[in-house]
Amino acid sequence: MKKTQFFPRSLVFGILLFASLLLAGGFTWKEEWFLQPANFPAPVYNSKANPVTDAGFKLGKKLFYDPILSADYTISCGSCHIQAAAFSHHGHDLSHGIHDLLGTRNAPGLQNLAWYSRYMWDGGITNLDLQPIAPITNPVEMGDTLSAVIRKLNADPQYPGLFEKAFGTNRISTDLVMKALSQFMICLVSADSKYDKVMRKEGVVFTADETAGYQVYRQNCASCHPEPLFTNQQFRSTGLPVLEEGDEGRYLVSLDSSERFTFRVPSLRNLKFTFPYMHDGRFYTIDEVLDHYATGISHTTRPDPSFILPDGSPGIRFSPDQRKTLKAFLLTLNDTAFVKNPLYDEAGSQLYIK
Ligand code: HEC
Ligand code: HEC
C-alpha cells in the first residue's frame, strides 16, 4: 500500500489552505512565547486577569508612543523610555517631562517587568496596571488628568475601534487603557544577552575573564543583584553621599525611618544602554559606580551593613584584576537584540507578532 492513500493529496492541500487562512487572519498570540525564557522563574504578573493578545499588545504599544496621553500632546511614555536605551531616558540624569520640567529621579529602563512586584525607585507602586497613572498625572511628567485622557481617547477617530478589537468594547475606560499598556510592557522581556545564552547552554561560553568576573559578582554583588533578574527588588542604601535635594527614597513611601535613603535595587541588565546610573543618575559610567562601591560609600546615608568591612570602614575592595574581570562579566548582561527588536519600536507598530 502506498503512503499517499493514507494522506491523499487533497487532504494535504486542505491542511495547507487552512493554515494559510489562519495566518492571513492574524496570529492569536500565545503569551508563553515571550514570557517564559527557560532560565527565568514564573512571572509574577497575573496575565490570566489580562491575557496578552495581538490586538491588545498593539494597542498598548500605540498608547505607549502616543503623546495624546499628555496635557499638551508633547510627551509620550516613549519620550522618557527610549528603546535604544533599553527604555530608559538616555543621557538624562533626571528625566524631563512636559514644558521641559525636570523630575527628581532617573528614568529606569523598562525590562522584565512581569517578574517585578514593586515598581519605582521607592517601590511606591506594587501593581503594574496602576503604574501609568503616576506619569500621566504627574505635573512634571505628562501633566494630564485621567478624565481628560479618557475624553481625548474616546473622541479620537481611531482608538474606540482599536479598543473594540482588543477588549470587545469601544467604551474606553482607565482600566482598559492601563490593561493595554501593561500588555505591551510585560512583553518587554530582555533575556537574550550573552549571559542568558551561556546559562541556557546555547553553544556560547564565557571567556576566561568573564568566568572570573562571574565569581567576583557572585561574591560581592549577587546578594542584592541576584540572577536571573539581577535585582532582589529590596530596598537598600549604597551609602550615596546626599546631594542638595536629599531624596529619602523608600522612607517617603513607608515613613519607616530605618528605610531612610534606601532605594529599590536596580537590575544590572543592559547597563551599556541605561546610563546614567543610580536613582538620581549621578554616575555616567560603570567605573564611577565601582569607584563609589570601592571608596565613595558614606556613613551619612546609612549604608547597608553588608558594605561594612571588618575594620568598620565601608566599601568593597577589588584588586585591579577583579575589577577588570567584573566589568567583563557585566558586559555579558547587555542584550542588543532587545534594544533592536522591531516588535517594540515605534515605527514597527504594524508588525505582526511572530
Ligand atoms: C517625564 C519622563 C517620564 C514619562 C513621560 C514617563 N515616565 Fe515612566 N518613569 C519615569 C521616571 C523618572 C521613573 C522612576 C520614578 C520613580 O522611581 O520615582 C519612571 C518609572 C516607570 C516605571 C517603573 C519601572 C520600574 O522598574 O520600577 C514604569 C513601568 C514606567 N515608568 C512606565 C511608564 C509609562 C507606561 C508611561 C506613559 C504612560 C511613562 N512611564 C511615562 C519617567 C517617565
Ligand atoms: C547591599 C545591596 C547591594 C550590593 C551588595 C550591591 N549593590 Fe549595586 N545597587 C544597590 C542599590 C540599592 C542600588 C541603587 C542605589 C541608588 O540609586 O540609590 C544599586 C545600584 C547599582 C548600579 C546602578 C544601576 C542603575 O541602573 O542605576 C550598578 C551598576 C550596581 N549597583 C552594580 C553593583 C555591583 C557591580 C555590585 C558588586 C560589586 C553591587 N552593585 C553590589 C544595591 C547593592
Side-chain angles (χ1 to χ4, degrees), residues 12-327:
V12 176
F13 276 126
I15 291 171
L16 284 178
L17 183 68
F18 181 64
S20 45
L21 280 177
L22 264 185
L23 292 180
F27 280 86
T28 306
W29 186 16
K30 297 213 175 78
E31 59 189 74
E32 61 269 23
W33 291 350
F34 275 87
L35 280 190
Q36 197 49 64
N39 57 326
F40 275 34
V44 176
Y45 184 81
N46 180 7
S47 49
K48 291 218 165 56
N50 184 25
V52 177
T53 61
D54 191 59
F57 172 89
K58 282 185 191 145
L59 173 58
K61 175 152 105 171
K62 185 172 162 63
L63 288 164
F64 188 87
Y65 287 113
D66 196 337
I68 195 171
L69 298 186
S70 67
D72 63 357
Y73 295 82
T74 55
I75 306 280
S76 72
C77 310
S79 313
C80 295
H81 297 288
I82 301 163
Q83 182 181 12
F87 297 97
S88 69
H89 203 177
H90 196 68
H92 287 72
D93 45 0
L94 305 175
S95 60
H96 290 254
I98 195 164
H99 311 312
D100 232 8
L101 289 166
L102 209 55
T104 57
R105 288 187 183 155
N106 177 249
L110 305 182
Q111 58 189 355
N112 303 336
L113 295 170
W115 286 268
Y116 285 22
S117 48
R118 298 159 154 174
Y119 302 93
M120 311 299 234
W121 285 102
D122 54 21
I125 292 173
T126 53
N127 180 347
L128 187 62
D129 292 348
L130 301 177
Q131 209 288 330
I133 298 175
I136 291 173
T137 58
N138 187 326
V140 299
E141 293 191 342
M142 304 171 96
D144 216 334
T145 64
L146 288 173
S147 53
V149 165
I150 300 304
R151 212 169 33 245
K152 285 189 281 183
L153 292 174
N154 272 309
D156 185 84
Q158 285 178 13
Y159 277 110
L162 296 173
F163 276 83
E164 175 84 55
K165 257 191 178 167
F167 298 109
T169 170
N170 63 6
R171 297 211 18 218
I172 301 172
S173 63
T174 304
D175 178 49
L176 295 182
V177 173
M178 299 302 135
K179 284 195 157 133
L181 282 167
S182 285
Q183 287 192 33
F184 174 66
M185 289 195 290
I186 63 168
C187 294
L188 301 175
V189 177
S190 178
D192 231 358
S193 63
K194 177 169 186 186
Y195 158 84
D196 295 296
K197 291 176 185 161
V198 172
M199 292 300 139
R200 292 196 297 259
K201 303 195 169 55
E202 291 174 2
V204 184
V205 288
F206 282 146
T207 63
D209 271 3
E210 289 162 359
T211 306
Y214 185 35
Q215 292 314 320
V216 179
Y217 150 80
R218 285 169 62 144
Q219 277 154 23
N220 298 286
C221 323
S223 60
C224 291
H225 298 279
E227 304 166 68
L229 299 174
F230 293 88
T231 163
N232 60 7
Q233 298 185 57
Q234 291 176 6
F235 304 99
R236 295 280 191 270
S237 167
T238 57
L240 287 171
V242 180
L243 302 179
E244 67 259 35
E245 304 86 19
D247 190 333
E248 294 181 298
R250 176 68 179 165
Y251 170 72
L252 301 174
V253 173
S254 70
L255 298 180
D256 172 348
S257 60
S258 72
E259 293 194 302
R260 198 168 254 139
F261 306 119
T262 64
F263 292 87
R264 190 196 62 187
V265 175
S267 175
L268 301 182
R269 286 179 173 274
N270 291 317
L271 292 174
K272 177 180 174 190
F273 312 110
T274 61
F275 64 92
Y277 308 116
M278 304 311 208
H279 67 272
D280 53 9
R282 70 176 70 187
F283 299 136
Y284 272 73
T285 63
I286 294 179
D287 271 311
E288 285 177 72
V289 176
L290 297 182
D291 285 343
H292 165 70
Y293 281 129
T295 56
I297 296 181
S298 158
H299 272 302
T300 54
T301 49
R302 298 195 215 150
D304 192 76
S306 62
F307 292 122
I308 310 300
L309 296 165
D311 68 4
S313 64
I316 299 178
R317 301 283 181 262
F318 309 101
S319 69
D321 198 50
Q322 284 175 322
R323 191 169 164 141
K324 183 184 106 193
T325 59
L326 175 61
K327 276 166 61 184

